[in-house]
Amino acid sequence: LLNTSTVTKVVGCKYGGPIAAVTLPVVGEKSWFSHTDIRIMTNSGNALATIAFPSAEIEQKYSPSDIMEIGFTDRAVFVIILKDSLCLTYDVTGETLLPPFFLLPRGEGQGTDLSHACVFDGGAVCFDSSSNSEYSLIISSSDCIGYCPAIQV
């Protein structure tokens, strides 16, 4: 049997948009794998951006082993969901779009450990171990309010 200590996740945006790749440790050991680069590329492999993870603001609390899911929305928003439900959003140039937020907050500055997460066309959905779920739409200020009638302005 061939053992490996890392896995590379690769995701693509719909309709031939950009792709992103990140190499993560298979085992959650933080000491030997404390940083990684997330690469955003065109569908032909030309570099668009590199995002260092974890960023300086969250470096003390997170490592690459905390990345649970990555993906693109249908508007080319790159989303990273961490194991404690922290959600990070970037554009295709690697610039932050929204301040980090918890999909399932449980207290001031704390999130809930997730059992599953998925990035989809409109945003992200996640589940904790008790089957509580959260569905978060990621929209822009130019969206028609009819896009999501549940949003309160």
Side-chain angles (χ1 to χ4, degrees), residues 107-134:
E108 188 62 37
Q110 295 181 340
T112 303
D113 288 339
L114 301 179
S115 62
H116 185 74
C118 181
V119 178
F120 65 98
D121 288 352
V125 64
C126 63
F127 298 90
D128 70 9
S129 59
S130 302
S131 296
N132 293 318
S133 65
E134 178 62 33

Side-chain angles (χ1 to χ4, degrees), residues 73-94:
T73 68
D74 60 356
R75 295 176 183 223
V77 173
F78 179 63
V79 179
I80 302 170
I81 302 173
L82 305 183
K83 289 180 181 177
D84 69 351
S85 83
L86 187 66
C87 184
L88 310 171
T89 57
Y90 299 90
D91 66 16
V92 295
T93 66

Side-chain angles (χ1 to χ4, degrees), residues 33 55 101 134 147:
F33 205 105
S55 64
F101 61 95
E134 178 62 33
Y147 183 74

